[in-house]
Structures are given as structure tokens and as C-alpha cells.
Amino acid sequence: MFEKVNPEHPDKIADRIAGALVDLAYAKEKDPRIAVEVLIGHGTCYIVSETSTHIEPSEASHIVERIAGKNVVCHYHENPQDVHLSENQQDRIRCGDNGIFKGSPA
């Protein structure tokens, strides 16, 4: 069984936006810590990030415009990475439900 989704489906667009934000974090900082959630539909894109790398709202808006088009309103909210999670990610790389990261949540 497999799923085929049109590349213009909002979930696929959201994935591309999240990936572009992660790429931007890597361009700004060596070994950044970033988690991104993107919800897009009906002309609006909501982005929430938890990150060690500051991303300007204008940078997020530019990414959304490039990927989703000029008629999409972007709302970007950034949070600093959780201190406990950051400390637990210092020793080694591990794989968990939230992808690959160093350490494990407290």
C-alpha cells in the first residue's frame, strides 16, 4: 500500500517550507538545533519553530512566498530551544520519534 499526494497538496508545501527553514538555520549556524511545525491552507501559513538559530520573520515570509506564492500570509513564531533538551543533546546522536537528535529529552 502506498500514498500518492499531489506536490501542490498543502502538506507537501508545508514540508518544503519546513525544510527550507532548516536549511536556512544550517546556513546561519554550524550544528543548529531547530524544530519546525508548519500549517498552511486557505491563504495563511502558520509557522512555529523551536530553535537555537534566530530566523527573522521576514526571512520566513520570503521562504513562504517563494514556495507557496505571494498570496499567502505568513505568521512566524519563534521560541528558544528548551534548555533541558539542549543540554541532553550534547553527547551523541540518537534517533527518536521526533527525528534524529543528540541526546534524549529529560
Side-chain angles (χ1 to χ4, degrees):
M1 181 174 180
F2 68 92
E3 175 184 51
K4 173 134 175 63
V5 178
N6 183 310
E8 297 302 315
H9 189 279
D11 287 346
K12 295 300 177 190
I13 293 172
D15 289 345
R16 292 199 309 267
I17 291 168
L21 288 165
V22 170
D23 289 344
L24 177 60
Y26 273 90
K28 290 179 154 213
E29 178 181 325
K30 183 181 183 223
D31 200 21
R33 305 290 191 258
I34 183 166
V36 181
E37 292 294 335
V38 179
L39 172 66
I40 189 168
H42 306 285
T44 305
C45 181
Y46 297 96
I47 303 169
V48 178
S49 71
E50 182 176 333
T51 181
S52 62
T53 304
H54 176 62
I55 295 173
E56 292 289 338
S58 61
E59 294 173 307
S61 292
H62 177 73
I63 287 170
V64 170
E65 182 178 315
R66 179 171 54 85
I67 294 172
K70 294 183 181 204
N71 296 326
V72 177
V73 177
C74 177
H75 300 279
Y76 177 71
H77 183 76
E78 182 175 285
N79 297 290
Q81 187 186 31
D82 179 88
V83 174
H84 300 292
L85 181 59
S86 179
E87 290 171 0
N88 285 331
Q89 292 181 344
Q90 294 175 2
D91 296 333
R92 61 188 169 120
I93 295 175
R94 295 185 182 180
C95 185
D97 291 342
N98 295 319
I100 296 175
F101 56 89
K102 292 182 180 179
S104 59

